[in-house]
Amino acid sequence: MSGSTFVPTRSSAGGPTRSSTWAPSRSARELGLKRAEFDLAVHLGRIRTVPGGGGGGRRVERAEIERLRAQEGFPESLRQRVQVVGTAEGAALMDISAGRFTRLARLGLLVPVRFYLNRYRAVVWLYLAEEMRQFAAGEENAHLLKGRTPETLRSQVAAGVDLRARNWRGRHLGFLLRQAEDPWARAGAVAAFLPPVEVAEVVTDPSERAELHRFRPTPPHQGAPASPTAHLAGELMTAQDPDEIGWLRSDLAHAVREARAHATASRPAPRGTEPEARTPAAHARSAVRTGTRPTCRPEPTPEQQGSGLEGLRPGRGLRSLLRRRSPRPATV
């Protein structure tokens, strides 16, 4: 690319033309990134994309490529912002033991950004190196990194608390909602994290459920369809705790109402099928199915602003998070 500034052309509708944008593979090469690094940068909002039109997926404007290439320290600075580390590397960055790192992650204090399944089909969580450095540098976290772990936290880990999958789902949902281009796509993104029976209870009209299914994103790293890898990825994508299911149901009901107001599904929904928030009776039915006690969720308040966990849905505080248990596939 030349050093001159590129001025993208626009279509008659006001959006970028296809000739003024590049496909992800070309964009990754221009930015000196591996494709996985590029995808993660888009996921995190480090690289802005635009709709490709014609069902061709999202693309990157050449002006965005120029903006990134003009940043100080490029390309190394961009690579550092999307660097991911596993448990051992993350512990070394924070100057703590791998065991302490795992405990902090299980307690929801370190939030994974990606995962993969190793040859033993165990879940391996990956974290942003940038966030690990920020956590270690925070004075408010010093007591968590040195000395004896507070008893309240150790007891929660001993009780089986593991919020890694739940926090990853919250982060991934935020990414899908940012990428959704219309209300039905946003509703489909929310539905992707709920078991089908929960979706059917909220959205009773078959044509609307079909519309949700059409926009339903697939789990990342799913492997071949019906494979053990795909099965485990689907489990990680699905909400487990009653309160997590409850707020997703509420969000789905709201998203479907907005989508209806924007445009009906393939067939107009019949009268009286407005999705409703979960009732106490529905909570009880879910508790019978899952073998857990139903919980009620008060309105959340943002408590993670400025912590580098912007992809997460605001929680109700660490003490509330630590009360939840989420059985998961084997993780490392």
Side-chain angles (χ1 to χ4, degrees):
M1 293 179 61
S2 66
S4 59
T5 303
F6 175 82
V7 180
T9 58
R10 298 279 161 176
S11 67
S12 58
T17 64
R18 195 170 183 83
S19 62
S20 71
T21 61
W22 280 335
S25 56
R26 172 71 183 277
S27 301
R29 290 196 302 270
E30 292 292 329
L31 293 172
L33 299 175
K34 298 177 182 178
R35 181 55 191 270
E37 293 174 330
F38 173 85
D39 291 341
L40 181 57
V42 172
H43 182 130
L44 297 170
R46 307 285 196 260
I47 300 175
R48 297 191 292 260
T49 61
V50 295
R58 299 184 71 85
R59 297 170 66 87
V60 181
E61 289 187 302
R62 297 188 193 182
E64 174 68 357
I65 300 294
E66 294 282 6
R67 181 187 71 84
L68 293 166
R69 288 170 64 94
Q71 290 181 347
E72 184 178 356
F74 176 88
E76 190 58 32
S77 59
L78 181 57
R79 291 198 194 101
Q80 288 180 354
R81 297 178 71 191
V82 294
Q83 179 190 4
V84 294
V85 293
T87 297
E89 294 171 291
L93 276 178
M94 300 173 68
D95 194 23
I96 58 177
S97 68
R100 185 182 290 263
F101 184 96
T102 299
R103 289 194 295 273
L104 293 175
R106 286 169 62 92
L107 292 167
L109 298 172
L110 306 176
V111 180
V113 70
R114 289 178 58 193
F115 71 88
Y116 70 90
L117 304 178
N118 64 18
R119 61 179 177 173
Y120 304 108
R121 295 175 187 166
V123 180
V124 180
W125 296 106
L126 299 174
Y127 307 81
L128 275 179
E130 181 180 50
E131 290 182 355
M132 301 305 97
R133 297 187 187 97
Q134 290 173 355
F135 188 94
E139 294 183 4
E140 67 278 11
N141 300 321
H143 69 290
L144 298 171
L145 303 177
K146 303 295 182 183
R148 187 174 177 82
T149 302
E151 174 61 30
T152 53
L153 302 185
R154 286 190 290 112
S155 64
Q156 294 296 330
V157 172
V161 169
D162 190 347
L163 300 175
R164 289 175 291 183
R166 177 173 180 150
N167 283 343
W168 172 81
R169 284 193 294 272
R171 188 167 214 164
H172 192 57
L173 175 57
F175 162 67
L176 294 175
L177 291 175
R178 289 193 299 272
Q179 294 292 299
E181 297 173 12
D182 62 61
W184 280 109
R186 289 192 288 273
V190 177
F193 293 85
L194 282 168
V197 65
E198 303 288 348
V199 175
E201 285 186 6
V202 176
V203 185
T204 58
D205 182 73
S207 66
E208 292 184 339
R209 290 201 301 274
E211 193 78 353
L212 293 177
H213 183 74
R214 186 165 74 89
F215 285 103
R216 185 185 182 95
T218 57
H221 322 297
Q222 66 169 348
S227 67
T229 298
H231 177 71
L232 286 177
E235 285 187 4
L236 290 172
M237 188 85 168
T238 304
Q240 303 289 334
D241 300 324
D243 62 332
E244 183 184 9
I245 291 173
W247 66 253
L248 281 170
R249 283 177 57 119
S250 177
D251 284 357
L252 177 60
H254 177 72
V256 170
R257 283 195 295 268
E258 286 192 340
R260 272 202 203 110
H262 177 76
T264 59
S266 301
R267 178 176 62 81
R271 294 181 181 274
T273 59
E274 276 285 286
E276 297 179 357
R278 168 174 285 196
T279 63
H283 273 293
R285 289 196 302 271
S286 175
V288 171
R289 286 194 301 271
T290 61
T292 55
R293 294 182 60 188
T295 60
C296 296
R297 183 179 71 92
E299 283 298 315
T301 57
E303 297 179 356
Q304 296 175 326
Q305 299 296 324
S307 64
L309 309 182
E310 66 281 2
L312 290 175
R313 180 185 178 88
R316 294 177 297 167
L318 178 59
R319 292 180 59 189
S320 177
L321 284 172
L322 297 180
R323 288 198 292 268
R324 305 174 189 148
R325 298 185 58 178
S326 301
R328 298 291 184 269
T331 59
V332 295

